[in-house]
Amino acid sequence: KFKGQNKAKDRRSNEDVARKALTQQLCPDMAFCGECLFHNPEQCRRGSHDVKEFMAVKLADLGEKCVVFEKIGVCPAGLNCRYGVQHVKDGVNVDKDGKPVTKETRDQYDGLVLGCGIGEVNYVDDVMKQHLRKKTYDFTKAKTAVQAWNKMYKLQEAAKREAGPNPGALAVEDAAEAPAAEAAV
């Protein structure tokens, strides 16, 4: 029996659906390069490891073109991709050249596949996260940039003060009187 204020929420059924979907997919590493990279594959709980069984029960593809494959040359979803017609050949994930993605060739795609795609700027690797959490990251480069910007900003403000008001601009009082003067003429 669930307790607490959220016991009537629909989350439980959503979690069940997500768990069921996970059991119907391959381990992401198996789907991408055909080999589980987990330290002990028997303990990996990220999906099935039987490619033949998965391919036999895999749902039909939703379309002919995998936009991720076309964009970066390899699909990180691999065999799990529902648009895999282009990159799944004989139960193996292939790259844009038609070569199978293996554990050895996987490293050349890590930057594209593991959350840091082409044009992706919102990616922070695990080492950086650890430095930020432990407050050991060296911010000297950022501090130097901020100091340079502050110095430039102060110089610009000083130049504006020395130049005085913009001679081509009307003062607030003059701007209010200008339409009345034009109407009188």
Side-chain angles (χ1 to χ4, degrees):
K1 181 178 173 182
F2 300 119
K3 297 181 178 181
Q5 71 181 32
N6 294 320
K7 62 185 174 187
K9 297 287 182 184
D10 292 334
R11 290 189 191 113
R12 303 296 175 204
S13 61
N14 291 343
E15 289 172 358
D16 293 339
V17 169
R19 266 191 225 100
K20 184 179 178 187
L22 181 66
T23 61
Q24 296 173 348
Q25 289 195 340
L26 279 175
C27 163
D29 291 329
M30 286 293 294
F32 182 62
C33 66
E35 187 175 342
C36 183
L37 303 178
F38 198 68
H39 298 295
N40 188 353
E42 288 79 33
Q43 293 179 345
C44 177
R45 294 192 171 96
R46 299 183 305 160
S48 171
H49 288 80
D50 189 355
V51 176
K52 289 181 182 178
E53 178 185 324
F54 171 76
M55 294 303 283
V57 298
K58 181 182 176 187
L59 297 172
D61 284 345
L62 299 174
E64 297 290 321
K65 292 170 49 171
C66 175
V67 293
V68 176
F69 177 74
E70 288 181 352
K71 179 80 175 173
I72 64 175
V74 67
C75 180
L79 302 179
N80 287 332
C81 180
R82 296 289 305 276
Y83 298 90
V85 174
Q86 290 177 303
H87 58 84
V88 175
K89 307 290 184 214
D90 300 324
V92 178
N93 188 29
V94 296
D95 63 7
K96 65 182 173 200
D97 300 327
K99 298 176 186 169
V101 179
T102 62
K103 183 178 180 181
E104 290 77 28
T105 61
R106 178 183 202 279
D107 295 338
Q108 67 187 1
Y109 303 113
D110 272 351
L112 301 173
V113 173
L114 299 176
C116 184
I118 295 171
E120 181 75 35
V121 293
N122 293 329
Y123 177 75
V124 180
D125 66 346
D126 293 334
V127 175
M128 175 70 75
K129 287 179 193 174
Q130 188 175 20
H131 282 299
L132 291 171
R133 265 190 230 115
K134 293 185 175 188
K135 299 181 181 176
T136 58
Y137 183 75
D138 182 22
F139 282 102
T140 55
K141 200 172 179 183
K143 288 178 183 177
T144 305
V146 169
Q147 289 171 349
W149 188 87
N150 283 337
K151 185 177 180 181
M152 181 189 70
Y153 181 75
K154 288 177 183 176
L155 289 173
Q156 286 178 346
E157 289 297 313
K160 283 181 186 177
R161 274 185 259 125
E162 287 177 8
N166 190 350
L170 294 173
V172 176
E173 301 85 30
D174 295 339
E177 295 173 4
E182 287 177 7
V185 174

